[in-house]
């Protein structure tokens, strides 16, 4: 199905406007500090919207609606942990990073546990971002190939090239301001769908809530203590862990704390973004619930292909299908623009973070500690393009080797899963040594590896060893891994003497 001309115009105007807006900041990003931290001059509300855009991706936009359509609001429990995470982040993480004196999130790990620790965290971040950019572009291309009539490679290249272009020219300031604009578009489109869909049912919003309540669509999950199921408590514990990892140790988030005008502004931005994310995630789930009620009443509107996918337990295609076939002309273009907004925000954030760490954690650290500002700008520009190309390559590779990349994504998650435990060990135990941290990390990775590879969905674990597989739900993998690192690290601290701390690094 081809989009009507009005929708195409809306989409083109939005995309080109976003690119032009991001490029406009080139005059303010001509030195390394401006490119990586905007010299701490961005208003708190803009930083908050950028943090929101960093947290929300096109995967959330489509995926949460699909989850609610197939199941219930169980995964929304993740969002309920955000106030606690915001409090922890504002009290400890924001002051710590703003006082570190460097834009690299992982620089202090070398001072704390040694060079291996910094390199481990940085490499894990870079690999994860390549996978993240590739996944976002790939998943965005799936619905857009039907919406625009383009092939997936073209969509991936257009999305990647345009985002890389304005990220390279505009630096972090262009990325943050464009994130804020794109977040506003995403919010408007989402709220529009939330208001519109209930009135499309023959009997109006009342019919929606009646059908949803009859099918227990608003349930947050069982309160059972069964750790092998996605219960309310399992998702809650997972939410605390994964959100601490996002807001506490992710370069994408930490870098935004540094762009704020003051520590107080950074804390305010963190609170605003978290409190905005909760109702917006609720909107995504509500859209899925509303679509369930809508197609329950009007099942003949679903295509046979989509009906088969839903029968298999896959609801990811429902919202894109409704965008094209259920929304009025003009609004369809706006919602597709919101999809682009969520994807471009995620990609641009990853690009700037990767370029920043390439400069601080590799180029300055190993090759040119005293490089000139001009030389460092060449590094930042060239590596932004390099990471953009790698992200597009990862997305295109998924077209031909999806299963292989799924495994690679899983393995990268195994390796990076130890990062939060490592950070917490350094924060909570000032006596922990280099060796204790290394032993804890290795133990944590081993546990994460065991729990991941024994998942039934991967079909990797030998049948003869089924009895020795993990009894826990997959949401508990990062939780158990983090706890393992802390416990082994603390125990090793009791028997391994603390090494002498290195001198503070000077790679601002």
């Amino acid at each position: 199905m081809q989009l009507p001309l009005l929708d195409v115009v809306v989409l083109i105007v939005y995309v080109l406007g976003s690119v032009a807006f991001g490029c406009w900041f080139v005059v303010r990003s001509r030195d390394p500090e401006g490119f990586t931290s905007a010299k701490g001059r961005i208003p708190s509300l803009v930083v908050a919207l950028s943090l929101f855009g960093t947290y929300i991706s096109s995967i959330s936009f489509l995926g949460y609606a699909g989850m609610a359509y197939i199941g219930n609001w169980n995964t929304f429990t993740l969002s309920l942990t955000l106030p606690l995470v915001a409090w922890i982040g504002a009290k400890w993480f924001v002051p710590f990073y703003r006082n570190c004196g460097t834009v690299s999130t992982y620089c202090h790990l070398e001072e704390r546990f040694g060079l291996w620790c910094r390199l481990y965290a940085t490499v894990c971040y870079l690999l994860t971002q390549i996978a993240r950019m590739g996944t976002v572009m790939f998943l965005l291309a799936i619905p857009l190939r039907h919406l625009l009539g383009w092939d997936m490679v073209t969509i991936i290249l257009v999305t990647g090239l345009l985002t890389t272009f304005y990220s390279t020219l505009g630096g972090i300031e262009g990325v943050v301001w464009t994130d804020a604009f794109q977040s506003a578009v995403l919010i408007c489109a989402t709220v529009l769908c939330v208001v519109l869909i209930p009135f499309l049912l023959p009997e109006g919003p009342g019919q929606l809530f009646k059908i949803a309540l009859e099918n227990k669509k608003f349930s947050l999950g069982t309160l059972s203590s069964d750790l092998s199921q996605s219960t309310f408590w399992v998702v809650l514990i997972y939410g605390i862990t994964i959100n601490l990892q996002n807001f506490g140790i992710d370069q994408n988030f930490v870098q935004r704390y540094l762009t704020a005008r003051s520590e107080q502004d950074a804390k305010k931005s963190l609170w605003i973004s978290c409190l905005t994310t909760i109702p917006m995630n609720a909107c995504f789930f509500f859209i899925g619930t509303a679509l369930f009620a809508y197609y329950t009443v009007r099942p003949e509107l679903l295509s046979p292909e989509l009906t088969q996918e839903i029968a298999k337990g896959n609801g990811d295609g429902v919202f894109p299908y409704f965008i094209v076939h259920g929304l009025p002309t003009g609004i369809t273009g706006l919602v597709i623009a919101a999809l682009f907004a969520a994807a471009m925000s995620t990609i641009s954030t990853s690009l700037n973070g990767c370029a920043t760490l390439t400069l601080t954690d590799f180029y300055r650290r190993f090759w040119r500690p005293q490089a000139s500002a001009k030389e460092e700008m060449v590094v930042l520009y060239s590596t932004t393009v390099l990471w953009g190309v790698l992200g597009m390559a990862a997305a295109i590779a998924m077209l031909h080797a999806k299963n292989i990349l799924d495994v690679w994504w899983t393995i990268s998650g195994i390796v990076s899963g130890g990062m939060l435990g490592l950070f917490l060990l350094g924060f909570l135990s000032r006596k922990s040594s280099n060796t204790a941290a290394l032993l804890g990390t290795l133990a944590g990775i081993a546990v994460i590896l065991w729990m991941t590879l024994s998942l039934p969905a991967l079909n990797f674990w030998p049948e003869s060893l089924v009895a020795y597989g993990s009894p826990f739900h997959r949401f508990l993998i990062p939780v158990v891994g983090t706890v393992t690192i802390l416990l082994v690290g603390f125990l090793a601290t009791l028997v391994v003497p603390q090494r002498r701390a290195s001198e503070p690094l000077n790679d601002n």
Side-chain angles (χ1 to χ4, degrees):
M1 174 179 177
Q2 296 293 326
L3 283 179
L5 179 60
L6 178 59
D7 291 320
V8 174
V9 171
V10 170
L11 181 58
I12 291 176
V13 169
Y14 165 75
V15 172
L16 294 182
S18 295
V19 173
F21 184 55
C23 292
W24 185 80
F25 291 91
V26 63
V27 295
R28 299 165 67 89
S29 302
R30 290 178 174 174
D31 58 81
E33 186 181 0
F35 192 95
T36 60
S37 66
K39 298 182 179 179
R41 60 193 172 202
I42 300 181
S44 58
L45 180 59
V46 176
V47 176
L49 286 173
S50 179
L51 282 168
F52 168 81
T54 300
Y55 188 80
I56 299 293
S57 69
S58 55
I59 301 173
S60 304
F61 192 53
L62 298 176
Y64 284 168
M67 289 179 185
Y69 188 97
I70 295 298
N72 52 34
W73 286 39
N74 177 232
T75 313
F76 177 69
T77 307
L78 283 168
S79 303
L80 301 181
T81 67
L82 287 173
L84 173 62
V85 172
W87 179 78
I88 294 173
K91 186 172 181 61
W92 284 291
F93 288 129
V94 170
F96 174 78
Y97 287 116
R98 286 193 62 96
N99 293 324
C100 266
T102 175
V103 74
S104 169
T105 304
Y106 313 115
C107 171
H108 75 279
L109 287 177
E110 181 175 356
E111 301 175 23
R112 186 68 182 84
F113 294 126
L115 179 59
W116 72 269
C117 192
R118 179 181 185 176
L119 292 178
Y120 164 71
T122 302
V123 170
C124 284
Y125 169 84
L126 295 174
L127 291 177
T128 302
Q129 296 312 303
I130 293 175
R132 187 185 188 209
M133 289 186 289
T135 302
V136 166
M137 283 187 271
F138 175 77
L139 293 179
L140 177 67
I142 293 176
L144 288 186
R145 66 177 172 177
H146 301 295
L147 303 180
L148 300 177
W150 300 352
D151 67 272
M152 292 183 66
V153 173
T154 300
I155 296 172
I156 289 169
L157 292 177
V158 169
T159 305
L161 290 173
L162 290 177
T163 309
T164 301
F165 181 65
Y166 81 74
S167 299
T168 302
L169 293 182
I172 189 65
E173 194 157 5
V175 168
V176 169
W177 276 94
T178 307
D179 281 355
F181 169 68
Q182 291 167 335
S183 295
V185 172
L186 176 62
I187 290 171
C188 290
T190 302
V191 171
L192 191 60
C193 289
V194 168
V195 173
L196 178 64
I197 297 175
F199 291 96
L200 295 178
L201 272 75
E203 300 176 18
Q207 187 177 26
L208 185 160
F209 286 97
K210 179 182 178 181
I211 294 173
L213 290 173
E214 288 175 351
N215 290 274
K216 298 181 180 180
K217 284 294 179 177
F218 294 118
S219 171
L220 294 178
T222 174
L223 297 178
S224 167
S225 59
D226 185 357
L227 298 181
S228 66
Q229 301 298 319
S230 179
T231 66
F232 172 85
W233 303 114
V234 166
V235 179
L236 189 72
I237 297 171
Y238 170 74
I240 294 174
T241 304
I242 205 67
N243 283 327
L244 275 178
Q245 184 168 314
N246 286 329
F247 287 94
I249 67 170
D250 192 310
Q251 173 73 21
N252 297 336
F253 291 81
V254 172
Q255 207 167 335
R256 272 143 188 77
Y257 303 155
L258 304 180
T259 65
R261 293 171 175 171
S262 66
E263 181 179 309
Q264 193 61 34
D265 276 358
K267 292 179 179 179
K268 185 189 302 183
S269 300
L270 175 58
W271 273 108
I272 293 174
S273 67
C274 285
L275 295 180
T276 302
T277 300
I278 296 173
M280 287 309 301
N281 279 344
C283 286
F284 297 148
F285 279 92
F286 181 81
I287 288 172
T289 301
L291 290 177
F292 174 83
Y294 177 71
Y295 286 119
T296 296
V297 176
R298 303 290 303 277
E300 72 279 2
L301 297 181
L302 283 174
S303 68
E305 295 80 11
L306 185 55
T307 302
Q308 291 179 1
E309 286 297 312
I310 293 171
K312 296 176 183 177
N314 182 8
D316 291 343
V318 175
F319 192 21
Y321 182 85
F322 174 80
I323 291 172
V324 177
H325 298 88
L327 290 176
T329 301
I331 296 179
T332 298
L334 177 64
V335 177
I336 296 175
L339 279 173
F340 262 109
M344 293 172 73
S345 179
T346 300
I347 298 165
S348 63
T349 294
S350 296
L351 288 175
N352 192 268
C354 288
T356 297
L357 287 186
T358 304
L359 174 66
T360 58
D361 289 34
F362 291 100
Y363 195 78
R364 283 180 184 170
R365 178 63 180 83
F366 295 105
W367 289 288
R368 296 276 291 172
Q370 305 301 324
S372 66
K374 183 178 180 180
E375 183 180 343
E376 290 185 344
M377 287 307 299
V378 172
V379 173
L380 288 170
Y381 287 144
S382 59
T383 54
T384 301
V385 174
L386 172 63
W387 293 114
V389 171
L390 291 176
M392 287 182 281
I396 292 173
M398 287 186 175
L399 302 176
H400 309 289
K402 183 178 178 181
N403 291 334
I404 295 176
L405 284 182
D406 281 346
V407 173
W408 179 81
W409 170 258
T410 301
I411 298 300
S412 69
I414 293 170
V415 178
S416 63
M419 291 172 63
L420 178 61
L422 191 56
F423 268 78
L424 292 179
L425 181 64
F427 268 92
L428 300 177
S429 176
R430 301 307 302 173
K431 294 182 179 181
S432 294
S433 66
N434 180 2
T435 304
L438 180 59
L439 291 174
T441 302
L442 292 175
I445 292 175
V447 169
I448 294 170
L449 183 66
W450 163 65
M451 294 181 68
T452 302
L453 297 183
S454 61
L455 288 173
L458 290 183
N459 294 320
F460 181 86
W461 202 248
E463 291 187 11
S464 59
L465 298 178
V466 168
Y468 301 98
S470 170
F472 303 113
H473 189 270
R474 61 184 177 87
F475 281 168
L476 292 177
I477 293 175
V479 178
V480 177
T482 298
V483 172
T484 300
I485 292 173
L486 289 175
L487 290 178
V488 174
F490 287 147
L491 291 175
T493 299
L494 300 177
V495 296
V496 179
Q498 182 182 14
R499 70 168 179 81
R500 185 175 180 273
S502 62
E503 293 298 320
L505 299 176
N506 183 20
D507 68 341
N508 296 357

